[in-house]
Amino acid sequence: MYSKEIVKAICANHVYEYCIVSKDFEVLKYSEKASKYCDKVILMSDQINLFDLVPELVGMEDELSLIMVGDKEELIVPMVFKEPNYYVNITVHSNRTMDPLIVLFENVTDNTIAQYNLRQANNNNLLLLDEIAEKNKQLEMFNKEMQKLVDEEVAKNIETQHMMELQTRHAQMGEMIAMITHQWKQPLSVIQTLGTLLKIKFESGKLTQNIFKKKMNNLLQQTRHLSQTVNDFQQFFTPSKKKVDFDMNETITSVLNLVEMEYALENVHLSLVEVTPVSVYGYANEYNQVILSLLNNAKDALVDSGQAHKHIEIKIDMHDKRSLVSISDNAGGIPLEMIDNVFTQYVTSKKNGSGLGLYIAKTVIENNMQGKIWVKNTEEGACFSILL
Ligand SMILES: Nc1ncnc2c1ncn2[C@@H]1O[C@H](COP(=O)(O)OP(=O)(O)OP(=O)(O)O)[C@@H](O)[C@H]1O
Ligand SMILES: [Mg+2]
């Protein structure tokens, strides 16, 4: 490129300032605003040496000489900082006219600052990435710690659950003992009565072989009932216990057979009415225990009432495709202040009552057999209903 053209380009594009240099490195001419990038005081002197004006070129005399003789195209010193806040690219070209060198100052401040900012932003990004990586590492550690805590808690929970299962089992066993005690009361008193009867008959010389055999059979039946009760309850509290199909009439009749004699002694009459034959799927033994409990309560209430014609009626029926068994008596009913609580544990009006009979009945029917049990007073007495 020739100096004139370069100068023209410089004038058209104010990004450049220049100075023209002789072969003795003396500055011959410079553009108006070269003072922006060069020492003003030096510029004002009569004779200006290139190396005083552009100290960045000191030590490059040989290369400059090569440019002068046309053996080197150009020399670039990039991004030189100039007071107060300029960045310039200094380029030295050969000048093919009489003055051998032209030094250009290209203002690259904006570019440099932009680049600097970009680099800074990149650095910041890198720092941010580092920070994120560090945070991720911390998070990972935190997660590991959390997992450890969760594992520990899970292990603790399993242990607690195990303990609770054990406690529940103990409570169930306690309940079972209470149930057995409850169920044993009746047969034990029947055995006692039979024993007394046999003793009286024997002592009065009225004990015939026939009476002895009959009472003895009855007594043995009671003892079988005692041991059956234990077996039934034991079975009931075994988790693998299976539900079976059972005929309602048959199962209730077996209960009535057990109590019939004892109730007869108390003048309590029993009647079983089967409106509809019903077969049920469930725990037959436990159902029997519930029926027995309701019968005993009715009998107790009847004995207590002093009612002349003591009567209990058991009715087997269907209701919405479900079995409905009701046990009603004519003992006057449950006192109104008690009726809402009779199924609650330990609620009793009896001197020796445990208040567990109805509570256990409700547990068996509603929790174990998903049925419903309720009571209401009729004109004559209480009526308990079981829907299965
Ligand atoms: N047919 C009934 N007529 C009147 N009151 C009744 C009748 N059935 C139950 N009750 C009342 O409900 C109470 C609770 O009965 P529940 O069978 O739960 O306990 P309990 O008979 O008192 O004692 P146990 O645990 O020995 O059975 C009874 O004490 C009695 O007051
Ligand atoms: Mg009872």
Side-chain angles (χ1 to χ4, degrees):
M1 209 189 277
Y2 295 99
S3 67
K4 268 188 194 160
E5 288 159 335
I6 293 170
V7 172
K8 236 162 116 187
I10 292 164
C11 293
N13 182 348
H14 295 289
V15 178
Y16 290 94
E17 297 300 326
Y18 69 92
C19 62
I20 299 194
V21 179
S22 74
K23 62 177 184 331
D24 304 324
F25 301 114
E26 192 183 326
V27 176
L28 303 171
K29 206 170 160 193
Y30 55 86
S31 62
E32 204 184 324
K33 287 178 184 153
S35 58
K36 277 204 312 193
Y37 313 127
C38 303
D39 194 321
K40 277 188 198 127
V41 182
I42 295 170
L43 271 176
M44 277 191 298
S45 53
D46 291 343
Q47 225 179 354
I48 312 167
N49 181 277
L50 173 65
F51 301 108
D52 291 340
L53 194 68
V54 190
E56 291 80 12
L57 295 175
V58 171
M60 297 181 184
E61 292 81 351
D62 291 347
E63 283 169 83
L64 294 175
S65 301
L66 287 174
I67 293 171
M68 274 183 208
V69 295
D71 284 351
K72 189 177 165 72
E73 183 78 12
E74 61 180 6
L75 172 74
I76 301 173
V77 186
M79 272 191 248
V80 177
F81 179 69
K82 291 288 183 187
E83 296 283 357
N85 52 9
Y86 291 111
Y87 286 91
V88 288
N89 283 346
I90 300 170
T91 323
V92 184
H93 294 273
S94 89
N95 188 353
R96 306 262 169 86
T97 56
M98 39 196 191
D99 306 314
L101 290 177
I102 178 159
V103 180
L104 291 177
F105 303 93
E106 183 191 2
N107 186 352
V108 290
T109 311
D110 289 348
N111 256 352
T112 310
I113 288 173
Q115 269 178 31
Y116 173 81
N117 285 342
L118 199 69
R119 254 202 316 275
Q120 198 67 23
N122 273 343
N123 282 347
N124 284 345
N125 276 348
L126 283 176
L127 277 176
L128 211 65
L129 281 177
D130 279 354
E131 213 171 302
I132 289 170
E134 179 63 26
K135 286 265 180 317
N136 273 344
K137 223 160 101 185
Q138 281 175 6
L139 203 69
E140 215 171 287
M141 269 166 62
F142 179 72
N143 275 345
K144 268 188 195 155
E145 283 289 310
M146 278 299 282
Q147 189 57 48
K148 213 172 116 191
L149 281 178
V150 168
D151 288 348
E152 273 171 21
E153 279 307 307
V154 167
K156 258 191 231 163
N157 262 356
I158 290 171
E159 204 178 316
T160 313
Q161 216 168 341
H162 185 67
M163 288 290 291
M164 272 166 69
E165 270 167 22
L166 264 180
Q167 276 171 4
T168 311
R169 190 130 189 82
H170 285 160
Q172 277 185 341
M173 278 163 73
E175 216 167 83
M176 182 173 91
I177 290 163
M179 277 171 138
I180 291 171
T181 312
H182 180 76
Q183 295 307 130
W184 271 22
K185 266 193 221 162
Q186 246 65 45
L188 279 177
S189 81
V190 173
I191 289 167
Q192 200 176 13
T193 313
L194 286 169
T196 314
L197 200 87
L198 282 171
K199 192 172 171 247
I200 292 168
K201 292 269 182 203
F202 177 74
E203 282 170 359
S204 61
K206 285 181 188 162
L207 185 62
T208 62
Q209 207 174 15
N210 198 19
I211 292 177
F212 180 77
K213 223 163 122 185
K214 212 169 139 199
K215 299 297 168 199
M216 218 25 145
N217 277 344
N218 210 328
L219 208 141
L220 289 172
Q221 197 186 358
Q222 295 299 327
T223 57
R224 272 197 297 278
H225 176 61
L226 290 184
S227 91
Q228 189 59 39
T229 309
V230 177
N231 288 345
D232 289 350
F233 279 107
Q234 209 164 26
Q235 239 181 341
F236 176 65
F237 281 98
T238 309
S240 64
K241 170 99 178 116
K242 279 203 181 94
K243 290 184 178 181
V244 290
D245 279 314
F246 62 92
D247 180 82
M248 201 57 96
N249 195 319
E250 232 170 70
T251 191
I252 292 178
T253 304
S254 72
V255 182
L256 295 184
N257 286 342
L258 279 178
V259 297
E260 211 168 29
M261 201 188 66
E262 185 206 345
Y263 282 27
L265 288 174
E266 304 274 12
N267 267 332
V268 176
H269 299 278
L270 291 161
S271 64
L272 175 63
V273 183
E274 189 183 46
V275 182
T276 323
V278 179
S279 172
V280 167
Y281 181 68
Y283 303 106
N285 292 335
E286 290 64 47
Y287 192 81
N288 284 350
Q289 310 291 353
V290 172
I291 298 292
L292 189 63
S293 204
L294 299 183
L295 289 176
N296 280 340
N297 278 348
K299 188 260 297 167
D300 289 347
L302 282 166
V303 171
D304 223 37
S305 70
Q307 167 74 249
H309 302 285
K310 304 182 183 71
H311 187 243
I312 303 173
E313 185 188 76
I314 304 110
K315 204 158 87 180
I316 303 171
D317 202 356
M318 290 282 275
H319 179 79
D320 281 348
K321 293 184 183 164
R322 300 177 81 185
S323 73
L324 177 67
V325 169
S326 59
I327 296 177
S328 39
D329 59 62
N330 60 341
I334 298 169
L336 287 179
E337 66 274 14
M338 256 189 97
I339 199 158
D340 290 334
N341 296 320
V342 283
F343 292 102
T344 311
Q345 237 169 331
Y346 312 123
V347 169
T348 182
S349 62
K350 299 169 194 169
K351 215 173 134 202
N352 295 316
S354 67
L356 280 172
L358 291 179
Y359 166 74
I360 291 166
K362 197 176 176 70
T363 309
V364 168
I365 297 298
E366 300 194 352
N367 295 359
N368 299 75
M369 295 170 117
Q370 285 72 50
K372 190 112 196 76
I373 182 169
W374 69 95
V375 64
K376 53 179 207 260
N377 281 334
T378 64
E379 274 176 22
E380 292 191 300
C383 175
F384 283 86
S385 306
I386 307 171
L387 192 68
L388 272 187

